[in-house]
């Protein structure tokens, strides 16, 4: 292999070109001529073949190396003097979530109270980044966080399966945004992606991005269903090219959700995407993070892989319900030297 090819950054050349294709045109060269992200309403269309050439042209993932790196990250520890700061930072990154069929307005109001003031006995504990609910409960959440810095996020697009027509998905998004959602968490159609219908996934993300208006768009890959780390890398690039503001690991509804190897590959994709385009895309880990130690491990991962600019709620989120309570217990231990019962820090 030529030295130049060996030294090329992953993703180099994937987003070559700047001219906008003619309305309705199908571009059959590897993303050449497509702006990143394409301007809403430009009419630019990509074929499966063009996207396949680009995505399958990405460097292959070294699974053994990724797993070894993840295992090393899992052993990281934060010194005591920095731990309280890190725990409070983790609270600021939380999307406090309830996505159950039995959710009620009363439960959402309790969740919002928890989000605004996680520990009433300790006002120093900061509010979380957002609450995340189903679209029909966005209005309740909007009222529940009024006057605070807490945002309202809503899942949409036939969550968690992603199996519905585009018209239904866009109506789902429109309902959430009209009710006051600041953020929309959509889920890709994994069946389409795994079948190689990349253009369908790309166009759906683009259409949802446009429907969101000023609301931020988080795109859920559902990595536990993508089978390989190579697919995780390809899906990350695909949705970023389509205009995602965040890439998110999982719905939290599958057996396998956020893992360190998967998160590592997603972070490396968004880092390379910034190198190529200058645009920063956020990252959200969701599902499977249950303890304060998990939160600190993912903070370490973020700092080491993408750096301190991503250690802000605008670029890093943790989807959680029970996790917040464990972080509070750790913070309380710093203040009192004792661990309180877990039920004292219920989610809402």
């Amino acid at each position: 292999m030529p030295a130049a090819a060996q030294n090329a950054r992953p993703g180099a050349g994937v987003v070559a070109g700047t001219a906008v294709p003619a309305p309705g045109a199908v571009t059959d060269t590897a993303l050449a001529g497509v702006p990143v992200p394409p301007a809403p309403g430009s009419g630019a269309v990509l074929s499966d073949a063009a996207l396949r050439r680009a995505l399958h042209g990405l460097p292959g993932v070294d699974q053994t190396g990724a797993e070894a790196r993840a295992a090393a990250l899992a052993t990281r520890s934060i010194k005591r003097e920095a731990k309280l700061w890190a725990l409070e930072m983790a609270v600021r990154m939380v999307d406090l979530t309830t996505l159950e069929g039995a959710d009620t307005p009363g439960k959402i109001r309790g969740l919002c109270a928890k989000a605004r003031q996680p520990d009433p006995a300790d006002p120093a504990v900061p509010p979380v980044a957002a609450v995340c609910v189903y679209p029909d409960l966005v209005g309740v959440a909007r009222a529940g966080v009024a006057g605070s810095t807490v945002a309202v996020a809503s899942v949409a697009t036939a969550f968690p399966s992603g199996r519905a027509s585009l018209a239904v998905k866009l109506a789902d998004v429109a309902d959430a945004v009209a009710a006051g959602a600041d953020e929309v968490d959509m889920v890709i159609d994994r069946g389409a992606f795994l079948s190689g219908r990349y253009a369908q996934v790309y166009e759906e993300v683009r259409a949802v991005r446009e429907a969101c208006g000023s609301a931020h768009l988080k795109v859920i890959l559902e990595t536990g269903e993508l089978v390989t780390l190579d697919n995780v890398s390809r899906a990350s690039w695909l949705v970023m090219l389509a205009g995602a503001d965040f890439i998110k690991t999982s719905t939290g509804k599958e057996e396998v959700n956020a893992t360190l190897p998967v998160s590592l590959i997603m972070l490396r994709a968004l880092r390379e995407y910034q190198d190529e385009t200058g645009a920063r895309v956020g990252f959200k880990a969701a599902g499977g993070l249950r303890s304060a130690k998990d939160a600190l491990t993912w903070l370490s991962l973020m700092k080491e892989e993408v750096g301190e600019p991503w250690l802000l709620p605008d670029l890093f989120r943790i989807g959680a319900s029970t996790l917040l309570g464990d972080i509070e217990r750790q913070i309380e231990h710093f203040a009192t030297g004792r661990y309180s019962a877990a039920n004292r820090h219920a989610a809402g």
Side-chain angles (χ1 to χ4, degrees), residues 120-139:
D122 185 359
V125 177
V128 304
V131 292
C132 185
V133 299
Y134 278 116
D136 63 310
L137 290 166
V138 166

Side-chain angles (χ1 to χ4, degrees), residues 14-15 26-32 34-36 38 44-58 192-193 196-204 206 233-235 237-242:
V14 171
V15 293
V26 175
T27 303
D28 281 324
T29 54
L31 295 187
V34 179
V36 182
V45 177
L46 289 170
S47 69
D48 288 330
L51 286 164
R52 185 177 300 110
R53 281 195 295 272
L55 299 176
H56 287 256
L58 293 167
F193 178 85
R197 302 198 307 273
Y198 300 136
Q200 177 184 332
V201 177
Y202 176 90
E203 290 300 331
E204 286 191 354
R206 278 189 60 190
S233 176
R234 291 167 188 151
W237 271 94
L238 180 62
V239 303
M240 287 189 292
L241 289 167

Side-chain angles (χ1 to χ4, degrees), residues 23-312:
V26 175
T27 303
D28 281 324
T29 54
L31 295 187
V34 179
V36 182
S42 69
V45 177
L46 289 170
S47 69
D48 288 330
L51 286 164
R52 185 177 300 110
R53 281 195 295 272
L55 299 176
H56 287 256
L58 293 167
V61 173
D62 176 0
Q63 182 165 340
T64 301
E67 290 173 350
R69 169 74 169 138
L73 282 163
T75 67
R76 295 287 192 274
S77 61
I78 296 178
K79 293 180 179 179
R80 179 176 175 80
E81 55 268 26
K83 193 171 183 179
L84 180 59
W85 172 83
L87 289 167
E88 291 181 345
M89 175 184 286
V91 172
R92 293 187 180 96
M93 309 298 185
V94 166
D95 281 359
L96 191 59
T97 302
T98 183
L99 296 169
E100 303 296 334
D103 286 344
T104 64
K107 183 177 181 181
I108 302 306
R109 284 190 283 269
L111 190 81
C112 292
K114 179 77 169 178
R116 294 176 60 155
Q117 191 170 3
D119 187 352
D122 185 359
V125 177
V128 304
V131 292
C132 185
V133 299
Y134 278 116
D136 63 310
L137 290 166
V138 166
V140 178
R142 181 82 272 157
V145 301
S148 75
T149 60
V150 179
V152 176
S154 174
V155 295
T157 66
F159 177 95
S161 70
R163 305 305 293 261
S165 69
L166 180 57
V168 168
K169 292 178 179 181
L170 293 178
D172 208 17
V173 173
D175 283 348
V177 173
D182 302 297
E183 303 169 1
V184 171
D185 289 32
M186 74 166 286
V187 59
I188 66 167
D189 183 336
R190 285 83 72 196
F193 178 85
L194 293 170
S195 299
R197 302 198 307 273
Y198 300 136
Q200 177 184 332
V201 177
Y202 176 90
E203 290 300 331
E204 286 191 354
V205 175
R206 278 189 60 190
V208 171
R209 169 62 273 169
E210 188 168 358
C212 284
S214 61
H216 284 188
L217 175 62
K218 307 190 200 94
V219 181
I220 307 167
L221 306 184
E222 197 68 294
T223 55
E225 293 186 342
L226 295 186
V227 185
T228 69
L229 292 179
D230 282 312
N231 277 342
V232 170
S233 176
R234 291 167 188 151
S236 298
W237 271 94
L238 180 62
V239 303
M240 287 189 292
L241 289 167
D245 296 306
F246 269 73
I247 52 176
K248 177 178 171 181
T249 59
S250 321
T251 62
K253 300 295 186 181
E254 298 296 330
E255 290 184 10
V256 178
N257 292 292
T259 68
L260 281 171
V262 156
S263 300
L264 176 71
I265 297 310
M266 292 174 70
L267 289 176
R268 289 183 175 177
L270 65 83
R271 184 179 68 199
E272 297 298 335
Y273 183 80
Q274 186 199 24
D275 288 346
E276 287 294 311
T277 68
R280 285 180 183 160
V281 175
F283 171 76
K284 179 175 175 178
L289 280 72
R290 296 185 175 87
S291 69
K293 184 172 189 318
D294 290 335
L296 296 181
T297 297
W298 258 262
L299 280 173
S300 296
L301 170 67
M302 295 296 294
K303 183 173 182 181
E304 293 188 25
E305 286 295 325
V306 291
E308 291 189 6
W310 265 267
L311 294 180
L312 294 169

